[in-house]
Amino acid sequence: MCPETDLATKLMKYMWMIVFWVLPLVAIVYLAWHIWTILPCNGWWKSLVIVLGVGSFLLLFLSVMRRFDTLPLPVAQLCYEVGTSSIMVMLYLVILFLVLDLGRLVHLVPKSLLYHNWQSALGIFVLIFGIFLYGNLHYKNKVRVPLELKSYHPLPHEYKAVMLSDLHLGYHNTRGEFSRWVDLINAENPDFILIAGDIIDGSMRPLIEKNMAEVFHSLKAPVYACLGNHEYYAGSPEAQQFYKDAGIRLLVDEAAVIDSSIVIVGRDDRTNMRRKPVKDLIESLTSSFSSEKLYTIILDHQPYHLDRAEAAGVDFQLSGHTHRGQVWPISWITDAIYECSWGSYQRGKTQYYVSSGIGIWGGKYRIGTQSEYVVATIR
């Protein structure tokens, strides 16, 4: 096996270190200065606002380190929501103050607007509140995406598949919310269901306490899935046991055949740097099947190196992972990083779909992106 490491992977790791550690610290200092100067109240009140903001942001790191698992479940859910929402609120506050500062430098914004001004402070609060209220309502709207897939091989009949990724079930995407997604899926009457990883958000605790595995048994079609990077964060053995309890056919560098016509291949996640190259995997798995060519679907959570699926003769690849950045302008970054960060794509005879996910990591906001499920027809 050849490790899938390259210079781009190392650069990506350094980039994320900067994004999650250096930039937030700079942003905190920048926002603290602006809050101090714009609020027309005494220092104690200003300090309290800043401390609450910094405290909310620190909850994000406690969430990543799984420090909430010992708290009562409602408290843990609240801490998770506040912590993971704070980084998005911080992003939009920074953008807003940068625009105002630029306007002040070119004399379009008066200095008085940013100094000891209740009207400005209230206006900024209302604007940010409105943006995130919209983002939350937009997240709750699950978009149905129709997809036509053409088979170059004979099929006994037309197939209908519901395709998902990035459910991120946990503290924020709860059992009740997941049950509503199950109703949407069942309403489609699919022949089978495909999930391209990240069913689990991080902590196994809310999934176990709320018995979310039971909800999967309400699905009225067989479910095939691959691992995502968050299953590794949750703990791969525990995550795989959850898949088993949920009745999901987990494919880890494995394949399943439907009606001797469609082969579904699930790749191990890219987190495992020693997983098989896609071409070797396809050849080793399909060699045991009938010599008649099957329609090949591959589930690969992270949409890197799309050319390799094309070279391996894959008919269709389903991926997720990107969330398309969740909120604008992060979507611009994911569009720049990935060959395809969202939507339909084609290379030669190989079709791809990169889903922005039905769920989401962290705060439940969609701004400039969508939560979706794909309804594919294979003809």
Side-chain angles (χ1 to χ4, degrees):
M1 300 182 190
C2 298
E4 294 188 352
T5 56
D6 50 30
L7 180 60
T9 302
K10 294 179 181 179
L11 290 175
M12 188 71 67
K13 290 180 179 179
Y14 290 128
M15 186 195 76
W16 285 119
M17 286 178 63
I18 293 172
V19 168
F20 283 109
W21 293 99
V22 178
L23 292 183
L25 291 176
V26 174
I28 287 172
V29 174
Y30 178 70
L31 291 178
W33 174 73
H34 265 296
I35 290 169
W36 189 271
T37 56
I38 201 171
L39 290 178
C41 52
N42 65 50
W44 286 106
W45 286 107
K46 294 180 181 182
S47 300
L48 178 62
V49 172
I50 293 171
V51 167
L52 287 175
V54 173
S56 297
F57 183 70
L58 290 177
L59 289 177
L60 170 65
F61 292 95
L62 294 175
S63 171
V64 171
M65 294 186 289
R66 306 257 297 273
R67 300 299 187 188
F68 301 148
D69 287 355
T70 58
L71 297 175
L73 191 57
V75 176
Q77 289 173 328
L78 177 62
C79 290
Y80 179 97
E81 292 280 7
V82 172
T84 54
S85 297
S86 66
I87 193 168
M88 299 181 191
V89 174
M90 180 188 297
L91 170 66
Y92 275 76
L93 282 173
V94 167
I95 292 172
L96 179 58
F97 279 121
L98 283 174
V99 170
L100 291 173
D101 282 341
L102 181 61
R104 185 169 59 86
L105 288 174
V106 298
H107 307 293
L108 292 176
V109 175
K111 183 178 178 180
S112 60
L113 196 70
L114 298 176
Y115 287 86
H116 305 290
N117 192 316
W118 271 119
Q119 288 83 1
S120 296
L122 181 60
I124 289 171
F125 173 80
V126 171
L127 177 61
I128 294 297
F129 181 84
I131 289 172
F132 282 91
L133 176 61
Y134 157 77
N136 180 254
L137 294 175
H138 187 48
Y139 167 75
K140 292 177 180 178
N141 176 39
K142 307 304 176 184
V143 179
R144 181 187 187 274
V145 179
L147 181 65
E148 296 288 333
L149 298 177
K150 181 180 179 181
S151 172
Y152 294 95
H153 321 293
L155 296 175
H157 60 84
E158 181 178 288
Y159 289 89
K160 187 178 186 181
V162 172
M163 302 181 179
L164 314 165
S165 78
D166 300 277
L167 283 69
H168 288 275
L169 300 177
Y171 285 122
H172 60 322
N173 289 318
T174 60
R175 176 176 172 136
E177 190 157 2
F178 177 45
S179 295
R180 289 190 287 274
W181 304 352
V182 167
D183 291 339
L184 292 174
I185 297 167
N186 284 336
E188 298 291 341
N189 295 312
D191 295 297
F192 55 91
I193 299 161
L194 303 179
I195 305 179
D198 278 6
I199 291 177
I200 300 164
D201 184 62
S203 173
M204 293 297 302
R205 179 219 178 173
L207 280 74
I208 294 170
E209 286 194 13
K210 294 299 181 179
N211 193 15
M212 291 193 198
E214 181 182 52
V215 184
F216 279 94
H217 291 282
S218 300
L219 290 167
K220 298 177 181 178
V223 183
Y224 303 89
C226 66
L227 291 174
N229 55 308
H230 277 255
E231 273 74 38
Y232 277 92
Y233 302 158
S236 185
E238 294 84 356
Q240 293 194 35
Q241 182 61 46
F242 176 82
Y243 276 61
K244 184 178 180 180
D245 295 341
I248 297 169
R249 177 72 184 275
L250 176 61
L251 302 172
V252 185
D253 286 349
E254 297 173 286
V257 179
I258 298 175
D259 294 342
S260 300
S261 301
I262 297 175
V263 57
I264 301 170
V265 177
R267 293 198 77 190
D268 197 352
D269 184 63
R270 193 167 183 262
T271 305
N272 177 8
M273 304 301 283
R274 296 186 177 277
R275 66 177 181 169
K276 284 185 177 181
V278 64
K279 189 172 183 179
D280 293 351
L281 177 64
I282 294 294
E283 289 177 352
S284 65
L285 291 177
T286 58
S287 62
S288 60
F289 302 146
S290 168
S291 58
E292 181 179 345
K293 187 75 169 69
L294 307 179
Y295 184 81
T296 306
I297 297 174
I298 191 165
L299 308 178
D300 192 355
H301 178 63
Q302 301 189 45
Y304 288 96
H305 306 299
L306 300 185
D307 58 306
R308 297 179 184 178
E310 179 194 8
V314 171
D315 293 293
F316 174 72
Q317 175 174 316
L318 175 67
S319 297
H321 182 65
T322 70
H323 301 195
R324 211 194 172 202
Q326 300 192 184
V327 297
W328 176 90
I330 306 301
S331 53
W332 286 356
I333 297 175
T334 58
D335 288 348
I337 290 173
Y338 297 95
E339 181 178 350
C340 174
S341 72
W342 170 67
S344 296
Y345 189 67
Q346 182 129 5
R347 271 179 154 273
K349 291 185 177 181
T350 303
Q351 294 177 266
Y352 303 80
Y353 194 89
V354 180
S355 176
S356 55
I358 192 169
I360 211 164
W361 170 87
K364 294 188 282 188
Y365 310 104
R366 286 281 190 179
I367 302 170
T369 67
Q370 66 186 30
S371 290
E372 64 182 26
Y373 61 101
V374 178
V375 181
T377 304
I378 309 171
R379 292 191 172 94

